[in-house]
Amino acid sequence: MHPLRILLGLMCSVSFSVSAAAPQTLRIFNDILFYDGYAAKVSEPIADGVLRHRNDLYARPLTEQELLGIGSTLTAHVTIKAACDNYDRIGNINLALVPKGSVAYSPEQVARIELGRFITPFMNKNLKPDAVPYSFQLDHVAAVLNDAALHKAYDFWVELEVFGVPYAAQNEVAGCAGRNDVFYGSLDFVSQNEPVAADQAVLLPLNFKKNLNNYEAGATDNLGQTVRTIAFDLPYAVRDARFYLITSNHGANAGGEEYNRRVHDIFFDDQLVLSYKPGGVSCEPFRVYNTQGNGIYGRTPRTPEQWASFSNWCPGQAIPLRVIAVGDLAAGQHSFKISVPTAVFVEAQGYIPVSLYLQGHATP
């Protein structure tokens, strides 16, 4: 059976029982070292229980004891420390649902959702601050981790992913010549261990970091347009359904999508439910983390209006997780569509990674 069908088909759920207590901190990854994302997988030692899928992707399962420590709230704290990549890169934390008892898995063969995305600053490892923090409020994910039926079928593996390359730093950063390590990463889960409502969690992964653009087959519904339609079937009604959406615009060439703020239109069952334009905030609060000179920040501060004129995101910033509430859904066919009608993708460069999942509660 397809894993997504299994996720939706579990109807006999009861939640784990927990007692109220002070917030607990679970260290998921501790200064794990990432390497050149384009190179063959390194064989450097890693912590016990951690799986290195690639140089840019690590994973480990949550233990039974750790799951018991997760109550009704969940916050993820990520810290990225500079090694030998001094450019802005994409990173993310993910949750993989792996068949019960597996000691390893292929990321492409299991259901995964992106929990949070971030952009690293331009960092010189020899200058302070040499680390940047990110936080993500993920209370809705706590409901998934507390769902006993899902837990019976799956182990929950947490992934930390940071893609980096060392080539510029090898020449520009003292101490990086000949090195292929790019960033250190740490991840903590913090949870208020309070009783969890005995609702039946419904989780439907729909799109995992799949690129959207207007020039590649498979990246758009129609070449020449920046639009993706995701059709899905609900075998039963879902209460209080919400889409969780992450997008970020990339393309650093002249006139690239990174520097042009575009309206994104979201349709559910052919009805417009959200329009948003990424960016529009000042990047000045993140200047302190950008210790490597770069063309985005320049030498002097910019006004909020100047940042809003071009910035989709800030080096050093967490990308927003957008929540789209669509209410109670009937069983049957539905569709989600994202359209960025004015996107250009100059010289057929650039992309918008789209992550999407649906979450709600099973109707009694």
Side-chain angles (χ1 to χ4, degrees):
M1 183 181 292
H2 192 281
L4 303 191
R5 291 287 190 178
I6 294 174
L7 289 176
L8 281 170
L10 295 168
M11 296 296 294
C12 57
S13 172
V14 293
S15 297
F16 294 121
S17 176
V18 295
S19 301
Q24 297 192 46
T25 298
L26 306 176
R27 173 54 58 100
I28 308 299
F29 297 104
N30 183 42
D31 273 347
I32 199 158
L33 188 55
F34 294 86
Y35 296 87
D36 182 357
Y38 289 123
K41 186 169 68 173
V42 301
S43 57
E44 300 296 329
I46 54 176
D48 290 343
V50 175
L51 180 63
R52 178 186 285 130
H53 286 296
R54 306 184 303 259
N55 288 344
D56 66 316
L57 179 62
Y58 292 91
R60 81 160 180 86
L62 294 175
T63 67
E64 298 289 335
Q65 188 62 38
E66 287 172 333
L67 286 169
L68 288 173
I70 295 176
S72 59
T73 66
L74 183 65
T75 304
H77 296 295
V78 175
T79 301
I80 299 300
K81 183 179 177 182
C84 287
D85 187 345
N86 56 341
Y87 272 70
D88 53 337
R89 310 295 184 185
I90 305 176
N92 48 283
I93 53 176
N94 314 315
L95 180 68
L97 287 92
V98 179
K100 199 71 179 177
S102 302
V103 296
Y105 67 97
S106 172
E108 294 75 21
Q109 300 300 316
V110 302
R112 302 159 76 202
I113 60 174
E114 185 177 8
L115 304 182
R117 184 182 302 175
F118 53 88
I119 308 295
T120 70
F122 293 81
M123 288 191 291
N124 182 321
K125 72 178 185 65
N126 301 308
L127 301 176
K128 299 293 184 180
D130 62 353
V132 56
Y134 309 87
S135 292
F136 304 89
Q137 196 63 43
L138 301 171
D139 292 351
H140 62 289
V141 178
V144 172
L145 299 178
N146 276 283
D147 189 275
L150 290 177
H151 181 63
K152 184 177 180 180
Y154 298 99
D155 288 326
F156 300 118
W157 289 63
V158 180
E159 299 178 344
L160 184 59
E161 181 175 3
V162 185
F163 189 92
V165 292
Y167 314 136
Q170 288 171 350
N171 296 314
E172 297 171 358
V173 177
C176 283
R179 288 174 51 173
N180 70 338
D181 54 313
V182 290
F183 297 103
Y184 293 89
S186 297
L187 171 62
D188 290 331
F189 278 176
V190 179
S191 182
Q192 182 72 39
N193 197 355
E194 297 175 341
V196 180
D199 280 335
Q200 300 163 358
V202 172
L203 176 66
L204 182 59
L206 293 169
N207 211 77
F208 181 79
K209 290 181 63 182
K210 184 177 180 182
N211 285 345
L212 171 67
N213 58 47
N214 65 8
Y215 59 90
E216 288 181 305
T220 178
D221 290 354
N222 301 291
L223 292 176
Q225 300 178 355
T226 307
V227 59
R228 170 167 301 138
T229 302
I230 302 168
F232 60 95
D233 178 66
L234 292 180
Y236 51 82
V238 176
R239 176 171 51 85
D240 191 25
R242 298 167 185 261
F243 289 103
Y244 293 86
L245 173 68
I246 301 176
T247 64
S248 53
N249 299 47
H250 303 275
N253 55 315
E257 291 306 300
E258 217 162 277
Y259 311 122
N260 288 279
R261 299 180 59 218
R262 316 286 193 187
V263 171
H264 294 49
D265 292 327
I266 306 298
F267 299 84
F268 175 61
D269 287 349
D270 297 321
Q271 298 295 314
L272 182 68
V273 293
L274 176 67
S275 287
Y276 67 93
K277 184 183 287 187
V281 300
S282 173
C283 292
E284 289 304 323
F286 306 99
R287 179 181 290 273
V288 64
Y289 301 111
N290 285 264
T291 55
Q292 171 72 47
N294 61 85
I296 294 179
Y297 277 91
R299 295 181 179 275
T300 59
R302 300 178 189 265
T303 67
E305 292 76 18
Q306 288 173 320
W307 284 114
S309 70
F310 75 93
S311 179
N312 281 278
W313 41 258
C314 307
Q317 179 190 27
I319 298 297
L321 172 64
R322 290 183 165 86
V323 183
I324 308 167
V326 290
D328 298 341
L329 302 184
Q333 289 288 324
H334 298 276
S335 67
F336 177 100
K337 182 171 71 174
I338 178 171
S339 174
V340 190
T342 62
V344 177
F345 298 103
V346 173
E347 299 177 340
Q349 295 184 44
Y351 53 94
I352 303 173
V354 177
S355 283
L356 177 73
Y357 56 95
L358 178 73
Q359 192 172 334
H361 306 282
T363 300

